[in-house]
Amino acid sequence: MHTADQRRSELAKASTNSSTANYDAALALELTASPESAAGTAANLEAALPTPSATISTSENTKYAAKTLIIGGIAGCTAKTVVAPLDRVKILFQTHNARFVKYAGTHFGLFRAGAAIYSEYGVRGLFQGHSMQLARIFPYAAIKFMSYEQLKMFLGRHIGDKHLRNFLAGSMCGVISVAVSYPLDMIRVRMAYITPTSGAPAERVRSVARMIYREPAYRFGLFNFFRGFPLSLMGIVPYGGVSFLMHEYVTTLARTRFAHVAAMPVDEQQLAKGRRRKQRELKGWAELVAGGISGVFAQTASYPFELVRRRMQIAGVHDPTKKASALKAIREVWSTGGLRGFFVGLTIGYVKVVPMFAVSFYTYEKLKMLFDLE
């Protein structure tokens, strides 16, 4: 039986090269490790993982980017569908909709507002604007996950601190994905905000887009689709950065320090020599918890930006002739609710974000495992 020091020494030798063969040698050492050194060996095993940027060719990277693009979009759509009713109610609260503001900040206000929507509009009312949401979220999530993976590999060659690397990669991928999908989000928010009288047909995507385009606030109608865009960029930096930073941090802890409870046993891994994905897989509950925790931190860091942005996006409904002003929206929020006003709907935000992030990251990681992506 090896001593702990001998195992660490052999593991270090096995992981000096980031090739798959050397990782397999490191993995074999973990299988023979005694329980008392399991945590330390797991940490060394994590460090021995092959670095994608060091082992992937240009053609392989192109295929990798295409696959992460597709599975990222699928993961985003799956998560948004799960929380669509919560998202509808949250937008009504954030934008101070006259018909639903009475429920905001009250006990069980979320459920009472949802019940009111259901009683008047049925199930379709809870999913109003969801078709536009899916059209927006697929490119948003696809670009977000794909660009994050690419940026993480690129920054990894220039930044030694992995936490800083993950935060910057998350922030930058968020900026890129928001810039691409913002006009679709604008239409989606308007559709979710509009509450037609009972029996009236729901607004269609084309009619809402035409209404936004024809608002006279800006000389060029296309600018109307970017109300609140600069503020959105400010908010996505902490949102994207913190979400990926926390997810990477929590999953690393789960694979190392808490591997004995959170990671799947090594002997259950598919360790065929041709398999690229060598990291220890987490149990389903651990993936969901890691995603939920990242969502809580990301939502808290970015919520005031999101609330003001929502106010700016629906400004054209109240006065189509005026340009949306961030300062005016901030003053309105402060005058009506003070500091707490910037966090109206945050509780429902948590209720929505925790399952959304949990399902999104869970689906993404499981699809990566299915397609054998590191």
Side-chain angles (χ1 to χ4, degrees):
M1 179 68 68
H2 291 285
T3 66
D5 289 340
Q6 287 174 326
R7 273 192 298 274
R8 292 191 186 96
S9 177
E10 289 176 78
L11 182 59
K13 292 177 181 178
S15 61
T16 52
N17 189 306
S18 60
S19 66
T20 302
N22 282 317
Y23 177 83
D24 289 339
L27 185 60
L29 289 173
E30 185 188 4
L31 291 171
T32 61
S34 58
E36 60 270 16
S37 63
T41 305
N44 290 330
L45 182 61
E46 189 74 16
L49 287 170
T51 304
S53 61
T55 61
I56 193 168
S57 66
T58 302
S59 61
E60 289 176 333
N61 187 48
T62 301
K63 294 178 182 177
Y64 180 80
K67 290 179 180 178
T68 53
L69 186 77
I70 295 171
I71 66 176
I74 294 173
C77 288
T78 303
K80 279 294 185 180
T81 300
V82 170
V83 300
L86 297 174
D87 202 31
R88 175 84 202 280
V89 176
K90 189 183 91 166
I91 288 175
L92 293 174
F93 283 2
Q94 284 182 325
T95 53
H96 234 241
N97 185 283
R99 298 178 61 186
F100 291 89
V101 67
K102 60 185 177 182
Y103 299 113
T106 64
H107 294 296
F108 304 108
L110 161 64
F111 302 103
R112 292 170 62 198
I117 294 173
Y118 178 78
S119 64
E120 187 167 356
Y121 305 107
V123 175
R124 292 185 63 181
L126 294 171
F127 287 86
Q128 183 170 318
H130 186 56
S131 60
M132 198 65 232
Q133 174 74 300
L134 294 180
R136 179 195 76 90
I137 203 62
F138 187 89
Y140 171 85
I143 293 171
K144 180 182 73 172
F145 280 110
M146 183 273 290
S147 58
Y148 174 74
E149 300 286 3
Q150 297 297 311
L151 287 166
K152 186 171 69 170
M153 286 192 288
F154 173 77
L155 293 175
R157 296 193 290 266
H158 304 280
I159 299 176
D161 187 331
K162 65 179 181 180
H163 299 305
L164 177 60
R165 176 202 67 189
N166 294 337
F167 179 83
L168 291 177
S171 299
M172 293 167 68
C173 78
V175 169
I176 295 169
S177 54
V178 164
V180 171
S181 62
Y182 195 83
L184 297 175
D185 185 52
M186 179 71 178
I187 297 172
R188 194 266 304 189
V189 169
R190 285 292 186 88
M191 292 183 69
Y193 175 77
I194 296 172
T195 53
T197 55
S198 182
E203 293 287 349
R204 295 183 178 274
V205 173
R206 183 180 299 178
S207 62
V208 173
R210 187 184 299 114
M211 178 178 63
I212 295 173
Y213 181 81
R214 290 177 176 175
E215 289 171 358
Y218 294 89
R219 182 176 179 182
F220 299 101
L222 290 177
F223 288 178
N224 290 319
F225 291 93
F226 289 88
R227 289 176 182 262
F229 180 64
L231 198 69
S232 182
L233 291 183
M234 293 173 62
I236 199 61
V237 170
Y239 187 78
V242 171
S243 65
F244 280 103
L245 169 65
M246 290 305 302
H247 182 261
E248 294 276 8
Y249 179 73
V250 175
T251 53
T252 298
L253 283 180
R255 289 191 178 99
T256 55
R257 185 173 300 179
F258 302 104
H260 59 291
V261 294
M264 294 174 63
V266 176
D267 58 359
E268 293 184 10
Q269 309 291 314
Q270 298 181 14
L271 297 174
K273 290 185 178 180
R275 189 168 178 82
R276 293 183 297 271
R277 187 176 174 88
K278 295 295 183 179
Q279 66 183 17
R280 294 191 67 173
E281 303 297 347
L282 297 181
K283 295 177 181 178
W285 68 265
E287 283 284 9
L288 291 170
V289 168
I293 291 175
S294 70
V296 169
F297 279 89
Q299 181 77 348
T300 304
S302 64
Y303 194 80
F305 294 99
E306 181 185 357
L307 185 137
V308 175
R309 173 170 62 90
R310 296 297 191 207
R311 291 290 185 92
M312 294 177 69
Q313 285 180 321
I314 59 94
V317 175
H318 303 296
D319 192 347
T321 64
K322 291 186 178 181
K323 297 180 180 180
S325 167
L327 289 177
K328 181 180 178 182
I330 291 171
R331 283 197 296 266
E332 289 177 351
V333 174
W334 180 266
S335 63
T336 56
L339 182 61
R340 292 184 62 184
F342 291 94
F343 294 92
V344 169
L346 180 58
T347 301
I348 184 177
Y350 287 144
V351 174
K352 168 203 161 185
V353 159
V354 170
M356 184 183 75
F357 270 68
V359 172
S360 179
F361 276 114
Y362 173 87
T363 306
Y364 181 70
E365 290 297 331
K366 293 305 179 184
L367 287 174
K368 284 179 71 177
M369 181 179 69
L370 179 65
F371 289 100
D372 190 22
L373 301 177
E374 186 59 69

